[in-house]
Amino acid sequence: MSKIAVIGAGSWGTAFAGLLAGEGKSVALWDRNPELIDAINTSHVNPRYLTDVRLPAAVKAVGDLSDAVVGADIVAMVVPSQAVRGVMEALAPSLRPGAIVVSLAKGLECGTLKRMTEIIRETAPAVTAAALSGPNHAEEVSHGIPSATVVASPDESAAKLLQEEFMTAAFRVYRNRDLVGVELAGATKNVIALAAGISDGLGFGDNAKASLITRGLAEMTRLGKVMGADPGTFAGLAGMGDLVATCTSRHSRNRAVGERLARGLTADEAQAELGMVAEGVKTAESVRDLALRERIEMPLSLSVYDVIYRGKDPRECVQDLMSRGPVEES
Amino acid sequence: MSKIAVIGAGSWGTAFAGLLAGEGKSVALWDRNPELIDAINTSHVNPRYLTDVRLPAAVKAVGDLSDAVVGADIVAMVVPSQAVRGVMEALAPSLRPGAIVVSLAKGLECGTLKRMTEIIRETAPAVTAAALSGPNHAEEVSHGIPSATVVASPDESAAKLLQEEFMTAAFRVYRNRDLVGVELAGATKNVIALAAGISDGLGFGDNAKASLITRGLAEMTRLGKVMGADPGTFAGLAGMGDLVATCTSRHSRNRAVGERLARGLTADEAQAELGMVAEGVKTAESVRDLALRERIEMPLSLSVYDVIYRGKDPRECVQDLMSRGPVEES
């Protein structure tokens, strides 16, 4: 049986560790917060995230990165994407060669515009990198409500191993060879989710949001194609599936931040109010940089950037978006 | 200015007539129910649908089909799809040659499996047929909440005229040349919406529903391709847009019927409880017939058929769907 480490005890890391431990696997769950570690090991509840979920005793919280990953066959990275490089640099010396590091983080590194598996490969060249992404709100996965996801790796046997190790009766895992597409979809969809939240916050309805989701997926796919991804990935669970879940669910923190942007809060104020990081805020900047660099038309994502980083009035963005664009659908 | 008749004063017909009249157009709104006609003409409120919406005085309710359509340049058909042939046969003699009949009905004729514009052309060969479809919940359009839609016609000038006549500041109209795709998407999405409602009714969450929507669109697109539609239409507003709105909105009657199917009601009981026709119930039968005839894999739609027409337990369907299918995403 594989030895598994989950790095990051936020809501998704906690749910994922619980999912695997529920199948009888031993899971080391690392976090930097010592109080959280003590609480998990004594009460089997994460005191900060998913506080209504009792974790199996097979989840052992660990405060030392090296202890968490030493000898691990599979390391799941579930820290915020801007923290992945630092955490990888710290744990890389303790990884055994041939280990699989699978990114569950959904973002792009600011400045470098790199995907998470690019960072993993740079910081730990001897491991196999992979990504897992899909419509997986932690609140539902942690309660055993049926969900599906996608794993991708350039190494097909690694993808198959992850599929076997992660699949449960209520958590269905599909393989996809398109690592670039799976990662880009997971990152870029958070920016569209901010737009969906803005739409909700402005009092618009399901018609407008469904239109926005549709046109959002079109621009995500345009970016993906230019970056070498398979458009089919964007039509699948890691693309459309995750986008729809994130834009429509009350569990989505990016959507929730968007609502608050529409109310006039800044992105920092909105995240502080929610007590969570919304990955889309940083990703809006990276997506804008990519769109400009690659000359890709991404009006929704650029509007979100303007709202967050240039203080543009969301109402004005909607006005622009409603009055622009092709009169023939394309 | 075009003379417009709207045939059918259900919620969408009422909202659509109000939308056009709000732009200063004269609209004849036909319905077979004399009390409803009287009420609209005296109180300017439809007493049965959208009862919180005041209609402009330019909406004139009419009880005689011939009176409603005589001299009309544009006739919008908004009766349930199984009633379209009968209504078309009754009004066809009164249509002027060259009039445009645009279908707002979303369904396929049971038995013949024909699209609405096929019925329009058969019953009135001298008119131009068109279709309008998109994420357009009447409850939102009638309150001026921003929405977008698609018009399609084999006659490009007719499509342009409809676009001009129907576009308002809050109702954005796109043209699409793919009539087959626009009509098939509008019809088949209702079956997936029933499945989404079943998922909700069984207590599943946003993750499961987003997965179901994603795989639902894939099977709708497979059917469309075989029938000669452009897959791009299914990725657009009339496809994905309408599907997402219908599967996630509290306004969706198909989703609401699905919830009741999960509670053990029959489709007839569910529709009676809601006091509305859910087009997906009949369409489930037509889609099944098409899938079998054309040998297209449509597991979700066929499961919905089994629940409605063969009394299959929805839980068993979910079990089948979760345990089947490709381990590689395709």
Side-chain angles (χ1 to χ4, degrees):
Chain A
M1 186 179 290
S2 299
K3 201 181 157 206
I4 299 176
V6 174
I7 307 303
S11 54
W12 188 207
T14 302
F16 196 67
L19 175 81
L20 302 178
E23 298 289 301
K25 300 180 204 300
S26 297
V27 181
L29 176 60
W30 174 85
D31 200 87
R32 65 172 82 243
N33 180 343
E35 285 165 37
L36 198 141
I37 289 161
D38 282 348
I40 292 174
N41 286 336
T42 52
S43 69
H44 306 290
V45 172
N46 184 326
R48 196 149 167 224
Y49 300 101
L50 308 178
T51 51
D52 60 341
V53 173
R54 198 178 162 75
L55 296 165
V59 174
K60 304 284 184 205
V62 179
D64 185 274
L65 262 181
S66 183
D67 287 352
V69 304
V70 79
D73 304 294
I74 298 169
V75 176
M77 288 295 297
V78 210
V79 297
S81 50
Q82 303 314 314
V84 166
R85 185 178 292 275
V87 171
M88 276 303 300
E89 282 168 351
L91 66 72
S94 308
L95 287 173
R96 73 161 183 74
I100 302 171
V101 179
V102 54
S103 164
L104 276 66
K106 295 175 178 176
L108 297 166
E109 192 176 38
C110 289
T112 69
L113 309 183
K114 285 185 174 158
R115 291 175 285 107
M116 296 300 108
T117 61
E118 294 182 285
I119 297 171
I120 292 168
R121 278 197 296 261
E122 277 179 23
T123 50
V127 306
T128 301
L132 179 148
S133 195
N136 300 145
H137 285 296
E139 293 78 359
E140 297 181 0
V141 172
S142 63
H143 284 98
I145 302 173
S147 301
T149 200
V150 174
V151 291
S153 173
D155 180 332
E156 190 61 8
S157 66
K160 281 185 181 161
L161 178 69
L162 294 179
Q163 184 177 40
E164 272 169 38
E165 293 285 346
F166 296 164
M167 179 95 81
T168 77
F171 191 70
R172 195 156 172 76
V173 182
Y174 293 87
R175 274 179 288 123
N176 184 320
R177 288 157 199 260
D178 177 23
L179 179 64
V180 175
V182 167
E183 288 191 274
L184 281 180
T188 56
K189 71 101 177 52
N190 283 329
V191 183
I192 306 301
L194 287 165
I198 290 173
S199 175
D200 288 346
L202 291 177
F204 293 166
D206 300 318
N207 294 347
K209 193 155 72 173
S211 302
L212 187 157
I213 292 171
T214 302
R215 295 176 70 179
L217 184 62
E219 71 182 52
M220 289 164 57
T221 308
R222 274 199 293 275
L223 174 67
K225 273 190 208 167
V226 170
M227 304 296 286
D230 174 359
T233 300
F234 289 81
L237 288 175
M240 176 176 164
D242 197 5
L243 176 68
V244 169
T246 309
C247 289
T248 61
S249 179
R250 67 196 160 83
H251 300 306
S252 164
R253 52 180 83 171
N254 287 287
R255 201 198 59 74
V257 165
E259 275 189 328
R260 285 159 178 79
L261 292 172
R263 291 208 320 253
L265 271 66
T266 67
D268 285 345
E269 289 165 350
Q271 291 180 96
E273 191 174 299
L274 288 164
M276 292 185 174
V277 174
E279 288 276 12
V281 172
K282 299 271 191 200
T283 309
E285 199 175 355
S286 299
V287 166
R288 172 191 169 265
D289 291 350
L290 276 177
L292 295 182
R293 189 181 87 189
E294 306 288 344
R295 296 167 188 266
I296 304 161
E297 206 194 356
M298 301 188 74
L300 281 172
S301 301
L302 265 60
S303 290
V304 170
Y305 175 86
D306 286 344
V307 169
I308 295 176
Y309 293 101
R310 291 182 171 165
K312 188 168 177 182
D313 184 340
R315 272 166 203 79
E316 203 184 317
C317 291
V318 172
Q319 207 62 41
D320 292 354
L321 290 167
M322 284 295 284
S323 53
R324 77 180 280 284
V327 287
E328 189 157 18
E329 202 186 20
S330 62
Chain B
M1 185 178 292
S2 298
K3 200 180 158 208
I4 300 177
V6 174
I7 307 302
S11 54
W12 187 208
T14 302
F16 196 67
L19 175 81
L20 301 178
E23 298 289 301
K25 299 180 205 301
S26 297
V27 181
L29 176 60
W30 174 84
D31 200 87
R32 65 172 84 244
N33 180 343
E35 284 164 39
L36 199 142
I37 290 161
D38 282 348
I40 292 175
N41 286 335
T42 52
S43 70
H44 306 290
V45 172
N46 184 328
R48 197 151 166 223
Y49 301 101
L50 308 177
T51 50
D52 60 340
V53 174
R54 198 177 163 77
L55 295 166
V59 174
K60 304 286 184 203
V62 179
D64 184 274
L65 263 180
S66 182
D67 288 352
V69 303
V70 79
D73 304 294
I74 298 169
V75 176
M77 287 296 297
V78 209
V79 295
S81 50
Q82 303 313 313
V84 166
R85 186 179 292 275
V87 171
M88 275 303 300
E89 283 169 349
L91 65 73
S94 308
L95 288 173
R96 74 161 183 73
I100 302 170
V101 179
V102 53
S103 165
L104 277 66
K106 295 175 178 177
L108 297 166
E109 190 175 38
C110 289
T112 69
L113 309 183
K114 285 184 174 159
R115 291 174 284 107
M116 296 299 108
T117 60
E118 293 182 284
I119 297 171
I120 292 169
R121 280 197 295 261
E122 278 179 23
T123 50
V127 306
T128 300
L132 179 147
S133 196
N136 302 144
H137 285 296
E139 292 78 1
E140 297 180 0
V141 172
S142 63
H143 284 99
I145 302 173
S147 302
T149 200
V150 175
V151 291
S153 173
D155 180 332
E156 191 61 10
S157 66
K160 281 185 181 159
L161 178 69
L162 294 179
Q163 184 177 41
E164 272 169 37
E165 293 286 346
F166 296 163
M167 179 96 82
T168 77
F171 191 71
R172 193 153 173 77
V173 182
Y174 293 87
R175 274 179 288 123
N176 183 320
R177 289 157 199 260
D178 178 21
L179 180 63
V180 175
V182 167
E183 288 191 274
L184 281 179
T188 56
K189 71 99 178 50
N190 283 329
V191 183
I192 305 302
L194 287 165
I198 290 172
S199 174
D200 288 347
L202 291 176
F204 294 166
D206 299 319
N207 295 346
K209 194 155 71 172
S211 302
L212 187 158
I213 292 172
T214 302
R215 295 176 69 178
L217 185 62
E219 70 181 54
M220 288 164 56
T221 308
R222 274 199 294 277
L223 175 67
K225 273 191 209 167
V226 170
M227 304 295 287
D230 174 0
T233 301
F234 289 82
L237 288 175
M240 177 176 164
D242 197 6
L243 176 68
V244 168
T246 309
C247 289
T248 61
S249 178
R250 69 199 159 83
H251 299 307
S252 164
R253 51 180 85 173
N254 288 286
R255 202 198 58 74
V257 165
E259 275 189 328
R260 285 160 178 77
L261 291 173
R263 291 209 318 253
L265 271 64
T266 67
D268 286 344
E269 290 165 350
Q271 291 180 93
E273 191 173 301
L274 288 164
M276 291 184 173
V277 174
E279 288 277 11
V281 173
K282 298 273 190 197
T283 309
E285 198 175 357
S286 299
V287 167
R288 172 190 169 265
D289 291 349
L290 275 177
L292 295 183
R293 188 182 86 189
E294 307 288 343
R295 295 165 188 267
I296 305 162
E297 205 194 354
M298 301 188 74
L300 281 172
S301 301
L302 265 60
S303 290
V304 170
Y305 174 86
D306 286 344
V307 169
I308 295 176
Y309 294 101
R310 290 182 170 163
K312 188 169 177 180
D313 184 340
R315 271 166 203 80
E316 205 184 316
C317 291
V318 173
Q319 206 62 40
D320 292 353
L321 290 167
M322 284 295 285
S323 53
R324 77 178 281 286
V327 287
E328 187 157 19
E329 202 186 20
S330 62

